[in-house]
Amino acid sequence: MDNDRHRILPVTEGMVQCLSTKKEPVQHCRLCIHAREFLVQGKYVKSPSLAYCIKSRVTDEVDLKKIESVKCADRQGEGFHNIANIIG
């Protein structure tokens, strides 16, 4: 995965600095269209939000309590965008 296209958002006390003015609970990331991968115990695992992506088809859950950082594809400053708004 190309790190130049992604922001690495550290998880601190269960929160990520999604936008410069807004923190989000890391639980939201698992449902966000921008979340690509989570760093868990030193290795990246794909985000469950990619379950509906034809290319990825992720089906594994992620232990949210062990996430160290989030690889985020939001480069436009949109912030949290729930995947349910697209598939619903």
Side-chain angles (χ1 to χ4, degrees), residues 11 13 41 46 53 77:
V11 176
E13 297 179 6
Q41 297 180 326
K46 299 241 183 243
C53 174

Side-chain angles (χ1 to χ4, degrees), residues 1-9 33-38 44 46 50 55 70-76:
M1 195 169 266
D2 182 8
N3 285 335
D4 292 338
R5 295 181 359 201
H6 300 95
R7 297 183 303 145
I8 305 299
L9 306 176
I33 63 169
H34 301 298
R36 295 296 181 258
E37 295 179 322
F38 298 119
Y44 280 102
K46 299 241 183 243
L50 297 174
K55 184 178 175 183
V70 178
K71 195 176 279 189
C72 178
D74 179 12
R75 298 301 247 167
Q76 304 299 317

Side-chain angles (χ1 to χ4, degrees), residues 14-80:
M15 303 291 285
V16 293
Q17 190 73 48
C18 184
L19 299 173
S20 62
T21 59
K22 187 169 186 187
K23 287 186 178 185
E24 293 281 350
V26 73
Q27 291 89 341
H28 286 184
C29 295
R30 65 182 280 284
L31 299 172
C32 182
I33 63 169
H34 301 298
R36 295 296 181 258
E37 295 179 322
F38 298 119
L39 184 62
V40 179
Q41 297 180 326
K43 70 183 202 188
Y44 280 102
V45 294
K46 299 241 183 243
S47 170
S49 69
L50 297 174
Y52 295 96
C53 174
I54 291 171
K55 184 178 175 183
S56 298
R57 295 285 187 192
V58 173
T59 57
D60 296 331
E61 271 300 316
V62 176
D63 187 344
L64 299 172
K65 294 177 184 166
K66 294 182 180 177
I67 296 174
E68 301 165 38
S69 65
V70 178
K71 195 176 279 189
C72 178
D74 179 12
R75 298 301 247 167
Q76 304 299 317
E78 296 175 347
F80 172 67

